[in-house]
Amino acid sequence: MTDTIEVRALHKRYGRNIALHELDLRVHPGTVFGLIGPNGAGKTTTLRTLVDVIRPSSGTVRVLGEEPRHGGAALRRRIGYVPGELHLEGRSSGHRLLAFYAEVSGSAGSSASVLRTARDLADRLGVDLDRPVRTLSKGNKQKVGLIQAFMHRPELLILDEPTSGLDPLVQREFLAMVREARDAGQTVLLSSHVLSEIQQTADEVAVLSAGRIVAEGDVASLRLGSVRRVRVRIGGSDAAAARAAFEKLPGVEGLDVTDHGEGVQLSTTIEGAIDPFVKALAQHEVQDLTVEEPDLEESVLRLYGDRSRPADASAPPHADDAPRERRRRAGASATGGGIDEQTGAPRTRRSRRGRRH
């Protein structure tokens, strides 16, 4: 079976700055693939290459069996795309904007069905499509961006930081939409720096750091959830006794113990199994407990730090943003020659007129 996405030796350079280093990536049909890494790792550059917003310096890219630069509007209609920096402006309502996108993304005969799906998604996400787009909050604009990507049920969804600006309840609904898309046979490439999103949805994951894939596999095998920060307040103990009880436990690092009223406050980082710490904690009166994952950048550096360093230490830092390249691609054809980088929708000759709605 042909891979939905096949990337080989993808290299992207902006002048002296290297964004991607010989990247290899395969995404199988009907799966959710998570591309994760700290901010600036090269995730956005990779996704923009897949939708032909930017062009690689070298290497090959195939999406749905075609090269993005040659696939044209026909290929782009098979893709739903949410860019990392979504900007929706205009006096038109959400309904009129989505109606335009429905016409661009599908045949005239299917646009009514696409709009019905859009209205259903709007109800699920809780966005008022009767309001002018320019009056919507950042979170509601993001919802409209998600709707335009999902509503025509594309074969491939490419989602760059899709939950930016969404509240937790809407994030949960979005993750349900991703799982439903996978169950319907669609392929999803999801870029995020929020580990919990990937853990809940992805079948496979690639960890990107400094423009390189430093680890790849399923979430469990990558051990990305094995680093936790713990803060706990216990009673009936003093700082010396608590330190002696917990600092010898496996995986406990950076233990800090301070007196707190009639007990002590502990904070530590635990790498690996948390069971020994929990069992030791059970011997005490637990007054408060917080367990949280560290930010993804810390997880990547702790687990894959050596492999994330560029082989060429003299290479300048990468740049995810390339203004000159964006301007060049933004001017690419009003004849279906590009994807609108601000909205994620395919560009056609109609796109200029659509802005005046």
Side-chain angles (χ1 to χ4, degrees):
M1 183 180 294
T2 304
D3 291 320
T4 302
I5 296 173
E6 183 179 359
V7 175
R8 294 183 179 177
L10 177 61
H11 191 83
K12 181 60 183 177
R13 178 188 292 270
Y14 299 111
R16 296 180 57 206
N17 296 326
I18 300 175
L20 298 174
H21 302 258
E22 308 298 329
L23 204 68
D24 290 325
L25 186 68
R26 289 176 178 271
V27 179
H28 305 303
T31 63
V32 178
F33 193 99
L35 186 63
I36 62 178
N39 289 327
K43 303 186 300 297
T44 293
T45 297
T46 301
L47 300 193
R48 287 175 175 171
T49 302
L50 297 178
V51 294
D52 199 35
V53 170
I54 62 174
R55 297 277 171 85
S57 301
S58 61
T60 61
V61 177
R62 297 188 69 83
V63 176
L64 295 170
E66 301 184 57
E67 294 184 30
R69 67 170 62 191
H70 298 141
L75 174 60
R76 289 187 286 277
R77 290 191 182 101
R78 301 165 66 190
I79 300 171
Y81 175 50
V82 176
E85 296 179 3
L86 178 67
H87 299 287
L88 295 176
E89 301 295 339
R91 298 179 180 178
S92 63
S93 67
H95 278 301
R96 296 185 67 183
L97 186 67
L98 292 173
F100 169 70
Y101 290 154
E103 188 174 347
V104 170
S105 300
S107 62
S110 67
S111 59
S113 174
V114 170
L115 285 176
R116 283 195 297 272
T117 301
R119 286 191 289 270
D120 291 341
L121 292 173
D123 289 340
R124 291 180 64 175
L125 296 175
V127 58
D128 182 1
L129 296 181
D130 292 325
R131 293 179 55 187
V133 172
R134 61 186 173 85
T135 67
L136 297 177
S137 65
K138 171 179 169 56
N140 282 323
K141 287 179 180 179
Q142 189 72 12
K143 294 173 187 177
V144 174
L146 290 173
I147 292 169
Q148 66 82 25
F150 278 80
M151 66 183 183
H152 62 293
R153 304 185 190 279
E155 297 173 54
L156 171 63
L157 285 156
I158 297 178
L159 311 174
D160 190 2
E161 305 286 357
T163 59
S164 174
L166 302 182
D167 64 61
L169 290 178
V170 178
Q171 290 178 21
R172 184 185 306 174
E173 192 63 43
F174 162 75
L175 295 178
M177 289 165 53
V178 169
R179 289 189 288 266
E180 290 167 11
R182 175 185 56 196
D183 294 343
Q186 297 167 262
T187 305
V188 182
L189 176 57
L190 173 62
S191 159
S192 180
H193 65 271
V194 181
L195 181 57
S196 58
E197 291 180 2
I198 303 300
Q199 288 175 314
Q200 294 179 55
T201 57
D203 301 300
E204 295 182 79
V205 181
V207 181
L208 196 62
S209 181
R212 303 172 186 270
I213 290 181
V214 296
E216 192 171 2
D218 59 78
V219 173
S221 68
L222 294 181
R223 301 182 296 116
L224 287 172
S226 66
V227 179
R228 307 168 185 86
R229 287 202 189 102
V230 178
R231 293 192 304 274
V232 59
R233 189 167 66 244
I234 59 177
S237 182
D238 58 56
R243 180 176 295 278
F246 289 96
E247 68 180 356
K248 62 184 179 182
L249 296 176
V252 171
E253 298 179 4
L255 179 65
D256 182 63
V257 184
T258 56
D259 290 314
H260 185 89
E262 297 181 357
V264 294
Q265 178 89 33
L266 287 80
S267 62
T268 184
T269 299
I270 301 175
E271 183 173 341
I274 199 171
D275 184 64
F277 184 86
V278 172
K279 287 179 177 176
L281 199 59
Q283 308 303 313
H284 300 266
E285 175 196 352
V286 179
Q287 299 174 342
D288 191 28
L289 174 64
T290 302
V291 180
E292 62 184 25
E293 64 187 31
D295 61 69
L296 189 58
E297 181 167 8
E298 181 178 340
S299 295
V300 170
L301 293 177
R302 287 175 66 89
L303 296 174
Y304 305 105
D306 291 340
R307 279 177 282 171
S308 69
R309 296 192 186 104
D312 179 7
S314 65
H318 64 279
D320 246 5
D321 293 326
R324 285 187 302 172
E325 185 78 18
R326 286 204 304 272
R327 287 195 295 269
R328 183 182 69 82
R329 297 300 302 148
S333 140
T335 62
I339 286 181
D340 190 315
E341 190 174 351
Q342 302 301 319
T343 65
R347 271 200 196 92
T348 68
R349 291 184 184 276
R350 296 287 307 277
S351 62
R352 292 183 180 273
R353 185 169 58 190
R355 293 194 187 100
R356 296 199 295 269
H357 287 333

